[in-house]
Amino acid sequence: MSDDLETLREQTVQALAAATDMREWDAVRVGTLGKSGRLTALLKELGRMTPDARRQRGGALNRLRDELSRLIEARGQELETAALNARLAAERVDVTLPCAPQAEGLLHPITRTIEEMTAIFGAMGFQLAEGPDIESDWHNFSALNTPAHHPARTDQDTFYLPAVAEGQPERVLRTQTSGVQIRTMLGKEPPIRIIAPGRTYRADHDATHSPMFHQCEGLVIEKGITLGHLKGCLSDFLRAFFQMPDLPVRFRASYFPFTEPSMEIDIGWSRKTGQIGTGGDWLEVLGAGMVHPRVLANCGLDAREWQGFAFGMGIERLTMLRHGIPDLRSFYESDVRWLRHYGTSPLSPALLHEGL
Ligand code: DAH
């Protein structure tokens, strides 16, 4: 090998050994084999040589190019491996270190009640259903056998919303979850067994009323459903919810436009101590009844073929009774101290069906 090639070889080998990272390595590679690299320049000179000289010089140059290519490639891999090993060492995770403490959030008691209701009714074969907070007047009232000017409408201080466009039906903030009954019956074939927890609204605000509150609706439509099913289902629910197998439950005749017969359901308690289950007094907790044939007809169901019962309850009210929460307004004040006291861990066994 001629001296200049020997020098080039030596210098390249030294530069490769001196390169400590991929950037430096790449500079050597480009400086040797790149478009204007030193070896490339020598190769270009071949074209101006006589055939004899070219043959001699060409062979030597090609061997040198092969050798340097191999050396460059090998050094590249060496540096790459070294860089990876350095990273692995630097980024090693010590799995034995204790983790940083994390604050656990708590579930609001309303959420907890909804989850418990879902678990209890779920075990009885009910599915969850829902409807919109902004509801048509028809779903909220008319289809539920409460036409315009029906006296029952005045019981509920309704928030009316302007119609979307002229000639469109009037809209309301739903005053009750009962409209979900209509949506469910129109949306699927019986048999039906649903509960529908959700927000409801009435223009009412004092110590025991909030303009936004929660209800849970229930609907069963099957063949041969009787008042006996209603009584069994709701007694079971109340006893499971209050965790009292012998909770006194009373069914008292009442009136709702969408059920016939209608009833209110009371549980035993003490007016004096506020204790549930004993004391000889009665406290109303639920409305219910057999679905009115006119409501079935409004949903295209033949009352001679299908029967059912419906019920509705206030979620705040049941939550207050269950956990001894004295003031309705505290539910919406977002006071973290209150939530820490009445909130429930998402992992609490009380939320699991087995815990009920
Ligand atoms: N929607 C009624 C209310 O807001 C509660 C209710 C009563 C719902 C009887 C029902 C029912 O489904 O059958 O007061």
Side-chain angles (χ1 to χ4, degrees):
M1 199 186 295
S2 57
D3 283 354
D4 64 333
L5 296 193
E6 191 59 56
T7 310
L8 173 58
R9 183 181 175 281
E10 281 287 299
Q11 288 177 345
T12 309
V13 167
Q14 272 173 23
L16 276 178
T20 53
D21 60 27
M22 294 306 285
R23 236 194 36 206
E24 289 171 11
W25 168 84
D26 203 47
V28 179
R29 183 183 67 80
V30 173
T32 312
L33 303 172
K35 245 202 279 179
S36 26
R38 292 168 70 191
L39 189 71
T40 315
L42 294 178
L43 284 163
K44 278 183 192 154
E45 283 171 7
L46 289 174
R48 292 193 296 272
M49 293 183 172
T50 61
D52 263 359
R54 185 189 308 151
R55 201 171 310 120
Q56 227 194 13
R57 177 87 168 161
L61 268 176
N62 277 336
R63 278 191 299 280
L64 182 60
R65 187 185 55 193
D66 290 350
E67 188 192 354
L68 288 182
S69 296
R70 268 198 313 277
L71 288 173
I72 288 172
E73 176 71 13
R75 179 63 178 152
Q77 276 181 10
E78 211 174 274
L79 285 171
E80 215 164 22
T81 308
L84 182 63
N85 285 339
R87 243 186 91 185
L88 285 174
E91 295 178 9
R92 218 182 90 211
V93 175
D94 183 352
V95 293
T96 65
L97 282 176
C99 52
Q102 299 213 349
E104 184 194 44
L106 295 172
L107 297 179
H108 194 281
I110 295 285
T111 306
R112 173 175 173 176
T113 296
I114 290 175
E115 295 203 0
E116 287 178 349
M117 287 176 169
T118 306
I120 298 169
F121 282 111
M124 295 196 250
F126 284 72
Q127 297 185 322
L128 276 176
E130 57 183 11
D133 289 17
I134 296 176
E135 187 54 287
S136 76
D137 182 276
W138 187 79
H139 287 94
N140 193 74
F141 287 124
S142 309
L144 288 159
N145 198 31
T146 321
H149 312 301
H150 190 289
R153 282 203 181 201
T154 54
D155 296 348
Q156 305 187 354
D157 300 302
T158 310
F159 287 111
Y160 283 94
L161 297 172
V164 182
E166 210 173 333
Q168 291 291 307
E170 235 180 351
R171 295 176 309 158
V172 300
L173 285 182
R174 65 177 179 187
T175 59
Q176 50 189 358
T177 43
S178 304
V180 184
Q181 288 185 34
I182 303 300
R183 291 184 173 274
T184 306
M185 284 188 274
L186 289 174
K188 68 180 202 184
E189 298 281 316
I192 288 168
R193 239 183 245 197
I194 56 107
I195 58 164
R199 293 195 176 99
T200 46
Y201 306 84
R202 292 184 197 178
D204 216 350
H205 199 192
D206 59 36
T208 55
H209 294 91
S210 152
M212 188 285 293
F213 58 106
H214 296 75
Q215 286 189 340
C216 181
E217 195 75 16
L219 176 70
V220 172
I221 303 286
E222 286 172 35
K223 285 185 179 166
I225 288 286
T226 69
L227 197 58
H229 296 112
L230 180 160
K231 291 178 75 175
C233 173
L234 295 178
S235 304
D236 281 357
F237 163 71
L238 288 169
R239 289 173 182 152
F241 181 75
F242 286 103
Q243 300 182 315
M244 284 183 199
D246 47 6
L247 176 72
V249 178
R250 179 174 80 170
F251 295 79
R252 177 170 43 78
S254 182
Y255 172 77
F256 297 101
F258 31 85
T259 45
E260 180 60 35
S262 303
M263 62 210 63
E264 279 170 318
I265 300 164
D266 305 331
I267 57 172
W269 80 316
S270 161
R271 193 178 303 280
K272 221 163 70 212
T273 64
Q275 208 187 336
I276 306 279
T278 52
D281 298 315
W282 292 105
L283 184 66
E284 185 239 312
V285 288
L286 231 97
M290 302 305 290
V291 179
H292 196 293
R294 221 172 282 152
V295 174
L296 291 173
N298 288 341
C299 300
L301 294 175
D302 183 347
R304 282 165 305 186
E305 194 184 352
W306 298 104
Q307 298 76 41
F309 64 86
F311 54 90
M313 50 197 154
I315 291 179
E316 280 80 354
R317 182 163 167 71
L318 282 168
T319 307
M320 288 167 77
L321 291 171
R322 168 80 195 280
H323 300 292
I325 300 174
D327 186 352
L328 175 75
R329 285 172 291 200
S330 62
F331 278 101
Y332 312 113
E333 279 167 356
S334 301
D335 184 333
V336 175
R337 294 164 304 177
W338 183 89
L339 188 58
R340 221 172 272 139
H341 185 74
Y342 289 112
T344 311
S345 162
L347 301 176
S348 160
L351 290 178
L352 307 174
H353 179 52
E354 289 76 19
L356 290 168

mmCIF file of all heavy atoms in Angstrom, residues 144 156 175-179 181 200 202 213 215-219 230 255-264 284 286-291 309-314, ligand 1:
data_model
loop_
_atom_site.group_PDB
_atom_site.id
_atom_site.type_symbol
_atom_site.label_atom_id
_atom_site.label_comp_id
_atom_site.label_asym_id
_atom_site.label_seq_id
_atom_site.Cartn_x
_atom_site.Cartn_y
_atom_site.Cartn_z
ATOM 1 N N LEU A 144 -97.572 10.960 30.293
ATOM 2 C CA LEU A 144 -97.759 10.366 31.620
ATOM 3 C C LEU A 144 -99.154 10.692 32.161
ATOM 4 O O LEU A 144 -99.366 10.805 33.370
ATOM 5 C CB LEU A 144 -96.683 10.880 32.585
ATOM 6 C CG LEU A 144 -95.280 10.310 32.326
ATOM 7 C CD1 LEU A 144 -94.203 11.196 32.941
ATOM 8 C CD2 LEU A 144 -95.173 8.881 32.880
ATOM 9 N N GLN A 156 -95.956 20.761 40.602
ATOM 10 C CA GLN A 156 -94.534 20.749 40.269
ATOM 11 C C GLN A 156 -94.181 22.082 39.642
ATOM 12 O O GLN A 156 -94.628 22.407 38.543
ATOM 13 C CB GLN A 156 -94.245 19.603 39.295
ATOM 14 C CG GLN A 156 -94.713 18.266 39.850
ATOM 15 C CD GLN A 156 -94.289 17.094 38.987
ATOM 16 O OE1 GLN A 156 -93.736 17.278 37.910
ATOM 17 N NE2 GLN A 156 -94.539 15.893 39.484
ATOM 18 N N THR A 175 -89.095 17.631 35.590
ATOM 19 C CA THR A 175 -89.473 17.789 36.994
ATOM 20 C C THR A 175 -89.447 16.450 37.712
ATOM 21 O O THR A 175 -89.585 16.387 38.924
ATOM 22 C CB THR A 175 -90.897 18.354 37.099
ATOM 23 O OG1 THR A 175 -91.783 17.443 36.423
ATOM 24 C CG2 THR A 175 -90.983 19.712 36.443
ATOM 25 N N GLN A 176 -89.335 15.377 36.951
ATOM 26 C CA GLN A 176 -89.345 14.034 37.509
ATOM 27 C C GLN A 176 -88.648 13.111 36.510
ATOM 28 O O GLN A 176 -88.545 13.431 35.335
ATOM 29 C CB GLN A 176 -90.793 13.563 37.731
ATOM 30 C CG GLN A 176 -91.668 13.749 36.496
ATOM 31 C CD GLN A 176 -93.147 13.498 36.750
ATOM 32 O OE1 GLN A 176 -93.533 13.146 37.857
ATOM 33 N NE2 GLN A 176 -93.970 13.665 35.726
ATOM 34 N N THR A 177 -88.169 11.979 36.999
ATOM 35 C CA THR A 177 -87.526 11.031 36.077
ATOM 36 C C THR A 177 -88.565 10.153 35.370
ATOM 37 O O THR A 177 -88.202 9.306 34.555
ATOM 38 C CB THR A 177 -86.529 10.130 36.842
ATOM 39 O OG1 THR A 177 -87.119 9.720 38.078
ATOM 40 C CG2 THR A 177 -85.224 10.855 37.117
ATOM 41 N N SER A 178 -89.847 10.389 35.653
ATOM 42 C CA SER A 178 -90.887 9.513 35.104
ATOM 43 C C SER A 178 -90.906 9.477 33.571
ATOM 44 O O SER A 178 -91.346 8.486 32.981
ATOM 45 C CB SER A 178 -92.259 9.939 35.636
ATOM 46 O OG SER A 178 -92.244 9.934 37.051
ATOM 47 N N GLY A 179 -90.429 10.549 32.931
ATOM 48 C CA GLY A 179 -90.391 10.556 31.462
ATOM 49 C C GLY A 179 -89.541 9.432 30.897
ATOM 50 O O GLY A 179 -89.748 9.005 29.751
ATOM 51 N N GLN A 181 -89.691 6.450 31.780
ATOM 52 C CA GLN A 181 -90.639 5.332 31.555
ATOM 53 C C GLN A 181 -91.116 5.349 30.106
ATOM 54 O O GLN A 181 -91.112 4.330 29.415
ATOM 55 C CB GLN A 181 -91.893 5.500 32.428
ATOM 56 C CG GLN A 181 -91.718 5.265 33.900
ATOM 57 C CD GLN A 181 -93.081 5.356 34.597
ATOM 58 O OE1 GLN A 181 -94.101 4.980 34.036
ATOM 59 N NE2 GLN A 181 -93.076 5.851 35.827
ATOM 60 N N THR A 200 -83.231 16.035 38.478
ATOM 61 C CA THR A 200 -84.552 16.603 38.225
ATOM 62 C C THR A 200 -84.549 18.035 38.747
ATOM 63 O O THR A 200 -83.694 18.388 39.561
ATOM 64 C CB THR A 200 -85.641 15.781 38.939
ATOM 65 O OG1 THR A 200 -85.198 15.519 40.273
ATOM 66 C CG2 THR A 200 -85.873 14.454 38.245
ATOM 67 N N ARG A 202 -86.930 21.619 39.939
ATOM 68 C CA ARG A 202 -88.174 22.329 40.220
ATOM 69 C C ARG A 202 -87.846 23.698 40.792
ATOM 70 O O ARG A 202 -86.871 23.842 41.540
ATOM 71 C CB ARG A 202 -89.049 21.550 41.225
ATOM 72 C CG ARG A 202 -89.580 20.262 40.621
ATOM 73 C CD ARG A 202 -90.511 19.507 41.542
ATOM 74 N NE ARG A 202 -90.640 18.130 41.062
ATOM 75 C CZ ARG A 202 -91.346 17.195 41.669
ATOM 76 N NH1 ARG A 202 -92.000 17.466 42.787
ATOM 77 N NH2 ARG A 202 -91.405 15.969 41.168
ATOM 78 N N PHE A 213 -82.319 18.381 42.096
ATOM 79 C CA PHE A 213 -82.215 17.257 43.032
ATOM 80 C C PHE A 213 -82.223 15.968 42.206
ATOM 81 O O PHE A 213 -82.194 16.031 40.971
ATOM 82 C CB PHE A 213 -83.337 17.300 44.066
ATOM 83 C CG PHE A 213 -84.732 17.277 43.480
ATOM 84 C CD1 PHE A 213 -85.516 16.135 43.548
ATOM 85 C CD2 PHE A 213 -85.254 18.396 42.841
ATOM 86 C CE1 PHE A 213 -86.797 16.105 43.005
ATOM 87 C CE2 PHE A 213 -86.540 18.376 42.292
ATOM 88 C CZ PHE A 213 -87.299 17.232 42.377
ATOM 89 N N GLN A 215 -83.736 11.979 41.446
ATOM 90 C CA GLN A 215 -84.746 10.944 41.663
ATOM 91 C C GLN A 215 -84.254 9.637 41.053
ATOM 92 O O GLN A 215 -83.369 9.631 40.196
ATOM 93 C CB GLN A 215 -86.058 11.309 40.955
ATOM 94 C CG GLN A 215 -86.844 12.407 41.623
ATOM 95 C CD GLN A 215 -88.231 12.558 40.990
ATOM 96 O OE1 GLN A 215 -88.466 12.118 39.857
ATOM 97 N NE2 GLN A 215 -89.141 13.173 41.716
ATOM 98 N N CYS A 216 -84.871 8.565 41.508
ATOM 99 C CA CYS A 216 -84.656 7.292 40.822
ATOM 100 C C CYS A 216 -86.014 6.727 40.447
ATOM 101 O O CYS A 216 -86.870 6.514 41.308
ATOM 102 C CB CYS A 216 -83.890 6.304 41.695
ATOM 103 S SG CYS A 216 -83.584 4.745 40.844
ATOM 104 N N GLU A 217 -86.200 6.547 39.151
ATOM 105 C CA GLU A 217 -87.444 5.997 38.641
ATOM 106 C C GLU A 217 -87.296 4.490 38.492
ATOM 107 O O GLU A 217 -86.181 3.991 38.308
ATOM 108 C CB GLU A 217 -87.690 6.605 37.246
ATOM 109 C CG GLU A 217 -89.075 6.431 36.722
ATOM 110 C CD GLU A 217 -90.051 7.364 37.415
ATOM 111 O OE1 GLU A 217 -89.596 8.326 38.069
ATOM 112 O OE2 GLU A 217 -91.264 7.127 37.318
ATOM 113 N N GLY A 218 -88.404 3.779 38.555
ATOM 114 C CA GLY A 218 -88.355 2.349 38.273
ATOM 115 C C GLY A 218 -89.554 1.951 37.438
ATOM 116 O O GLY A 218 -90.629 2.561 37.549
ATOM 117 N N LEU A 219 -89.364 0.973 36.576
ATOM 118 C CA LEU A 219 -90.481 0.511 35.732
ATOM 119 C C LEU A 219 -90.327 -0.974 35.457
ATOM 120 O O LEU A 219 -89.245 -1.443 35.088
ATOM 121 C CB LEU A 219 -90.484 1.281 34.400
ATOM 122 C CG LEU A 219 -91.539 0.833 33.382
ATOM 123 C CD1 LEU A 219 -92.950 1.211 33.847
ATOM 124 C CD2 LEU A 219 -91.262 1.450 32.009
ATOM 125 N N LEU A 230 -95.208 -5.600 43.012
ATOM 126 C CA LEU A 230 -94.774 -4.258 43.428
ATOM 127 C C LEU A 230 -94.401 -4.265 44.910
ATOM 128 O O LEU A 230 -93.329 -3.781 45.310
ATOM 129 C CB LEU A 230 -95.904 -3.262 43.156
ATOM 130 C CG LEU A 230 -95.709 -1.778 43.515
ATOM 131 C CD1 LEU A 230 -96.709 -0.923 42.737
ATOM 132 C CD2 LEU A 230 -95.875 -1.491 44.998
ATOM 133 N N TYR A 255 -102.392 9.269 45.116
ATOM 134 C CA TYR A 255 -102.754 9.579 43.732
ATOM 135 C C TYR A 255 -101.556 10.043 42.923
ATOM 136 O O TYR A 255 -100.800 10.916 43.354
ATOM 137 C CB TYR A 255 -103.829 10.680 43.678
ATOM 138 C CG TYR A 255 -104.070 11.129 42.268
ATOM 139 C CD1 TYR A 255 -104.838 10.352 41.392
ATOM 140 C CD2 TYR A 255 -103.466 12.279 41.771
ATOM 141 C CE1 TYR A 255 -105.003 10.727 40.067
ATOM 142 C CE2 TYR A 255 -103.625 12.661 40.448
ATOM 143 C CZ TYR A 255 -104.403 11.876 39.610
ATOM 144 O OH TYR A 255 -104.557 12.233 38.299
ATOM 145 N N PHE A 256 -101.353 9.436 41.774
ATOM 146 C CA PHE A 256 -100.460 9.971 40.737
ATOM 147 C C PHE A 256 -101.184 9.791 39.413
ATOM 148 O O PHE A 256 -101.903 8.789 39.236
ATOM 149 C CB PHE A 256 -99.120 9.214 40.700
ATOM 150 C CG PHE A 256 -98.313 9.349 41.966
ATOM 151 C CD1 PHE A 256 -98.292 8.321 42.913
ATOM 152 C CD2 PHE A 256 -97.588 10.508 42.221
ATOM 153 C CE1 PHE A 256 -97.567 8.458 44.085
ATOM 154 C CE2 PHE A 256 -96.859 10.645 43.402
ATOM 155 C CZ PHE A 256 -96.850 9.619 44.338
ATOM 156 N N PRO A 257 -101.019 10.715 38.482
ATOM 157 C CA PRO A 257 -101.785 10.608 37.229
ATOM 158 C C PRO A 257 -101.406 9.376 36.415
ATOM 159 O O PRO A 257 -102.222 8.860 35.650
ATOM 160 C CB PRO A 257 -101.403 11.882 36.457
ATOM 161 C CG PRO A 257 -100.692 12.770 37.427
ATOM 162 C CD PRO A 257 -100.195 11.919 38.549
ATOM 163 N N PHE A 258 -100.158 8.915 36.567
ATOM 164 C CA PHE A 258 -99.660 7.867 35.664
ATOM 165 C C PHE A 258 -99.783 6.467 36.225
ATOM 166 O O PHE A 258 -99.295 5.515 35.619
ATOM 167 C CB PHE A 258 -98.206 8.163 35.259
ATOM 168 C CG PHE A 258 -97.416 8.888 36.321
ATOM 169 C CD1 PHE A 258 -96.785 8.189 37.338
ATOM 170 C CD2 PHE A 258 -97.337 10.273 36.315
ATOM 171 C CE1 PHE A 258 -96.078 8.862 38.316
ATOM 172 C CE2 PHE A 258 -96.630 10.961 37.296
ATOM 173 C CZ PHE A 258 -95.996 10.259 38.302
ATOM 174 N N THR A 259 -100.390 6.325 37.407
ATOM 175 C CA THR A 259 -100.584 4.979 37.968
ATOM 176 C C THR A 259 -102.011 4.828 38.480
ATOM 177 O O THR A 259 -102.657 5.801 38.864
ATOM 178 C CB THR A 259 -99.602 4.727 39.133
ATOM 179 O OG1 THR A 259 -99.577 5.872 39.971
ATOM 180 C CG2 THR A 259 -98.211 4.413 38.643
ATOM 181 N N GLU A 260 -102.476 3.601 38.462
ATOM 182 C CA GLU A 260 -103.813 3.310 39.000
ATOM 183 C C GLU A 260 -103.892 1.838 39.376
ATOM 184 O O GLU A 260 -103.780 1.001 38.495
ATOM 185 C CB GLU A 260 -104.884 3.667 37.951
ATOM 186 C CG GLU A 260 -106.295 3.411 38.416
ATOM 187 C CD GLU A 260 -106.672 4.213 39.657
ATOM 188 O OE1 GLU A 260 -106.205 5.370 39.787
ATOM 189 O OE2 GLU A 260 -107.379 3.663 40.514
ATOM 190 N N PRO A 261 -104.028 1.451 40.628
ATOM 191 C CA PRO A 261 -104.028 2.362 41.781
ATOM 192 C C PRO A 261 -102.630 2.928 42.058
ATOM 193 O O PRO A 261 -101.631 2.378 41.602
ATOM 194 C CB PRO A 261 -104.472 1.444 42.921
ATOM 195 C CG PRO A 261 -104.029 0.084 42.509
ATOM 196 C CD PRO A 261 -104.154 0.052 41.024
ATOM 197 N N SER A 262 -102.620 4.008 42.838
ATOM 198 C CA SER A 262 -101.350 4.652 43.214
ATOM 199 C C SER A 262 -101.171 4.538 44.716
ATOM 200 O O SER A 262 -102.150 4.397 45.454
ATOM 201 C CB SER A 262 -101.374 6.142 42.868
ATOM 202 O OG SER A 262 -101.631 6.340 41.499
ATOM 203 N N MET A 263 -99.936 4.586 45.119
ATOM 204 C CA MET A 263 -99.700 4.518 46.573
ATOM 205 C C MET A 263 -98.432 5.245 46.954
ATOM 206 O O MET A 263 -97.537 5.457 46.110
ATOM 207 C CB MET A 263 -99.615 3.062 47.027
ATOM 208 C CG MET A 263 -98.491 2.295 46.423
ATOM 209 S SD MET A 263 -98.930 0.558 46.281
ATOM 210 C CE MET A 263 -100.308 0.636 45.163
ATOM 211 N N GLU A 264 -98.382 5.611 48.230
ATOM 212 C CA GLU A 264 -97.133 6.092 48.797
ATOM 213 C C GLU A 264 -96.668 5.041 49.781
ATOM 214 O O GLU A 264 -97.476 4.323 50.383
ATOM 215 C CB GLU A 264 -97.328 7.457 49.457
ATOM 216 C CG GLU A 264 -97.306 8.550 48.406
ATOM 217 C CD GLU A 264 -97.717 9.913 48.924
ATOM 218 O OE1 GLU A 264 -98.689 10.009 49.705
ATOM 219 O OE2 GLU A 264 -97.073 10.881 48.538
ATOM 220 N N GLU A 284 -92.861 8.818 54.860
ATOM 221 C CA GLU A 284 -93.041 8.515 53.437
ATOM 222 C C GLU A 284 -91.699 8.574 52.697
ATOM 223 O O GLU A 284 -90.940 9.515 52.872
ATOM 224 C CB GLU A 284 -94.011 9.547 52.843
ATOM 225 C CG GLU A 284 -94.364 9.268 51.418
ATOM 226 C CD GLU A 284 -93.986 10.401 50.500
ATOM 227 O OE1 GLU A 284 -94.293 11.559 50.812
ATOM 228 O OE2 GLU A 284 -93.351 10.101 49.472
ATOM 229 N N LEU A 286 -91.418 6.872 49.220
ATOM 230 C CA LEU A 286 -91.503 6.428 47.820
ATOM 231 C C LEU A 286 -92.906 6.633 47.276
ATOM 232 O O LEU A 286 -93.883 6.520 48.034
ATOM 233 C CB LEU A 286 -91.272 4.922 47.826
ATOM 234 C CG LEU A 286 -90.250 4.306 46.909
ATOM 235 C CD1 LEU A 286 -88.990 4.120 47.690
ATOM 236 C CD2 LEU A 286 -90.721 2.954 46.436
ATOM 237 N N GLY A 287 -93.019 6.905 45.974
ATOM 238 C CA GLY A 287 -94.317 6.873 45.306
ATOM 239 C C GLY A 287 -94.313 5.701 44.337
ATOM 240 O O GLY A 287 -93.270 5.372 43.769
ATOM 241 N N ALA A 288 -95.472 5.085 44.146
ATOM 242 C CA ALA A 288 -95.507 3.913 43.253
ATOM 243 C C ALA A 288 -96.939 3.633 42.814
ATOM 244 O O ALA A 288 -97.895 4.276 43.273
ATOM 245 C CB ALA A 288 -94.934 2.693 43.964
ATOM 246 N N GLY A 289 -97.089 2.683 41.919
ATOM 247 C CA GLY A 289 -98.425 2.269 41.505
ATOM 248 C C GLY A 289 -98.355 1.353 40.298
ATOM 249 O O GLY A 289 -97.279 1.105 39.748
ATOM 250 N N MET A 290 -99.536 0.857 39.917
ATOM 251 C CA MET A 290 -99.620 0.044 38.703
ATOM 252 C C MET A 290 -99.727 0.998 37.504
ATOM 253 O O MET A 290 -100.512 1.953 37.542
ATOM 254 C CB MET A 290 -100.852 -0.874 38.755
ATOM 255 C CG MET A 290 -100.889 -1.804 39.956
ATOM 256 S SD MET A 290 -99.410 -2.846 40.127
ATOM 257 C CE MET A 290 -99.611 -3.953 38.734
ATOM 258 N N VAL A 291 -98.948 0.747 36.476
ATOM 259 C CA VAL A 291 -98.902 1.680 35.333
ATOM 260 C C VAL A 291 -100.308 1.855 34.750
ATOM 261 O O VAL A 291 -101.014 0.874 34.462
ATOM 262 C CB VAL A 291 -97.927 1.184 34.252
ATOM 263 C CG1 VAL A 291 -97.901 2.150 33.067
ATOM 264 C CG2 VAL A 291 -96.530 1.025 34.835
ATOM 265 N N PHE A 309 -95.677 -2.172 36.968
ATOM 266 C CA PHE A 309 -95.699 -1.175 38.038
ATOM 267 C C PHE A 309 -94.539 -0.212 37.870
ATOM 268 O O PHE A 309 -93.563 -0.510 37.161
ATOM 269 C CB PHE A 309 -95.709 -1.828 39.426
ATOM 270 C CG PHE A 309 -94.481 -2.633 39.789
ATOM 271 C CD1 PHE A 309 -93.362 -2.006 40.347
ATOM 272 C CD2 PHE A 309 -94.458 -4.019 39.614
ATOM 273 C CE1 PHE A 309 -92.246 -2.747 40.717
ATOM 274 C CE2 PHE A 309 -93.343 -4.764 39.977
ATOM 275 C CZ PHE A 309 -92.233 -4.133 40.521
ATOM 276 N N ALA A 310 -94.707 0.957 38.497
ATOM 277 C CA ALA A 310 -93.676 1.995 38.414
ATOM 278 C C ALA A 310 -93.478 2.569 39.797
ATOM 279 O O ALA A 310 -94.348 2.433 40.663
ATOM 280 C CB ALA A 310 -94.101 3.085 37.449
ATOM 281 N N PHE A 311 -92.327 3.151 39.992
ATOM 282 C CA PHE A 311 -92.077 3.804 41.279
ATOM 283 C C PHE A 311 -91.070 4.930 41.089
ATOM 284 O O PHE A 311 -90.356 4.982 40.074
ATOM 285 C CB PHE A 311 -91.577 2.797 42.328
ATOM 286 C CG PHE A 311 -90.380 1.991 41.895
ATOM 287 C CD1 PHE A 311 -89.092 2.437 42.134
ATOM 288 C CD2 PHE A 311 -90.547 0.757 41.239
ATOM 289 C CE1 PHE A 311 -87.992 1.686 41.741
ATOM 290 C CE2 PHE A 311 -89.444 0.005 40.840
ATOM 291 C CZ PHE A 311 -88.167 0.471 41.091
ATOM 292 N N GLY A 312 -91.087 5.843 42.051
ATOM 293 C CA GLY A 312 -90.138 6.948 41.976
ATOM 294 C C GLY A 312 -89.775 7.384 43.380
ATOM 295 O O GLY A 312 -90.613 7.355 44.280
ATOM 296 N N MET A 313 -88.488 7.727 43.545
ATOM 297 C CA MET A 313 -88.067 8.140 44.893
ATOM 298 C C MET A 313 -87.025 9.237 44.819
ATOM 299 O O MET A 313 -86.314 9.381 43.819
ATOM 300 C CB MET A 313 -87.517 6.948 45.657
ATOM 301 C CG MET A 313 -86.486 6.153 44.914
ATOM 302 S SD MET A 313 -86.317 4.549 45.737
ATOM 303 C CE MET A 313 -85.761 3.531 44.404
ATOM 304 N N GLY A 314 -86.965 10.005 45.897
ATOM 305 C CA GLY A 314 -85.991 11.092 45.979
ATOM 306 C C GLY A 314 -84.677 10.554 46.544
ATOM 307 O O GLY A 314 -84.647 9.968 47.625
HETATM 308 N N1 DAH B 1 -92.805 11.213 39.678
HETATM 309 C C1 DAH B 1 -93.307 11.220 41.046
HETATM 310 C C2 DAH B 1 -92.853 12.484 41.744
HETATM 311 O O1 DAH B 1 -91.984 13.141 41.265
HETATM 312 C C3 DAH B 1 -92.807 10.006 41.787
HETATM 313 C C4 DAH B 1 -93.487 8.757 41.310
HETATM 314 C C5 DAH B 1 -94.641 8.315 41.877
HETATM 315 C C6 DAH B 1 -92.970 8.047 40.258
HETATM 316 C C7 DAH B 1 -95.293 7.184 41.471
HETATM 317 C C8 DAH B 1 -93.606 6.899 39.801
HETATM 318 C C9 DAH B 1 -94.768 6.480 40.434
HETATM 319 O O2 DAH B 1 -93.162 6.176 38.804
HETATM 320 O O3 DAH B 1 -95.396 5.362 40.011
HETATM 321 O O4 DAH B 1 -93.339 12.786 42.768
#
